[in-house]
Amino acid sequence: MPAAPRVLLMNPNSNAATTEAMVAIARRVLPGVRGWTAPSGPALITTLDSLAAAASVVGGAPIPPGIGGIIVSAFGDPGRAALAARLSIPVVGIGAAAARAAAQGGRRYAVVTHTPALVTGIDALMRSSAPNGAYLGTFLTNGDPDALSHDTIALDAALLAATHRAHAAGAKAVIIGGGPLGEAAERLRPLAPCALVAPIPEAARGLALLLQDTA
């Protein structure tokens, strides 16, 4: 039996610890995933300008030989289209994968995140990735994104409060929107008032299916 294709999880944020955490989540679905961390840019992407810069870095990054599939693990999927255009392997973005999963069965869904400056891009990605979905919009946490990222208790509380607001507005599924929020999504799953969609596992599952189809 041939070996499973090697998968590269690309973190467009320049935080290696975040990469390790995201790789650990993806490996629960796809064993053997290896990580890549952006060599430049912010540790946490919080603006559309930094998202665009990350797209350039990711899209032009050299890919090691032997990689059979890629997960772009930032919620705006920066660089995914450029990678897909120049490579002959499947490239999956966690944002689009989460949108497709959340919209299944016609569910009304929303995004919860802690980066207000990215809302315009998030909304556009959700609508383009699941054009027939009943998308209700983005619900934001209260507090500074960087400060929340360094306070697990405050981050979880803020995300859960925003999830309750989204559910009260009619969401039957809520996406925790952010690659660096992957661990928080796993922690909050049993506490959420509705179905909670974690982007990294959804991207890993989607890529696994694509790899089966190309095997």
Side-chain angles (χ1 to χ4, degrees):
M1 179 179 295
R6 291 194 301 164
V7 171
L8 186 67
L9 181 145
M10 301 184 73
N11 177 15
N13 306 276
S14 64
N15 187 321
T18 299
T19 304
E20 292 177 7
M22 294 193 291
V23 165
I25 293 170
R27 281 178 178 164
R28 297 169 194 168
V29 179
L30 281 170
V33 174
R34 61 184 292 187
W36 175 95
T37 305
S40 62
L44 177 67
I45 295 170
T46 59
T47 68
L48 291 176
D49 285 345
S50 59
L51 187 70
S56 179
V57 172
V58 172
I63 305 302
I67 295 298
I70 293 174
I71 296 171
V72 177
S73 199
F75 199 63
D77 299 351
R80 190 212 67 81
L83 286 172
R86 71 180 177 90
L87 302 174
S88 58
I89 58 176
V91 183
V92 175
I94 65 169
R100 290 189 290 267
Q104 283 184 353
R107 288 188 299 191
R108 303 176 76 191
Y109 74 100
V111 171
V112 162
T113 193
H114 67 335
T115 49
L118 295 178
V119 168
T120 301
I122 289 171
D123 288 348
L125 179 62
M126 292 299 101
R127 294 190 176 103
S128 64
S129 301
N132 297 321
Y135 177 55
L136 300 181
T138 301
F139 290 74
L140 293 166
T141 59
N142 295 318
D144 176 73
D146 289 308
L148 287 174
S149 295
H150 291 90
D151 187 336
T152 298
I153 294 175
L155 175 64
D156 286 2
L159 290 170
L160 187 59
T163 298
H164 277 279
R165 294 199 305 273
H167 179 57
K172 301 301 181 184
V174 167
I175 300 168
I176 300 298
L181 297 179
E183 291 180 305
E186 298 303 316
R187 293 192 299 267
L188 293 176
R189 191 185 302 278
L191 304 175
C194 57
L196 190 147
V197 177
I200 296 171
E202 294 300 341
R205 282 189 280 269
L207 182 57
L209 291 174
L210 292 173
L211 293 173
Q212 287 178 6
D213 291 341
T214 58

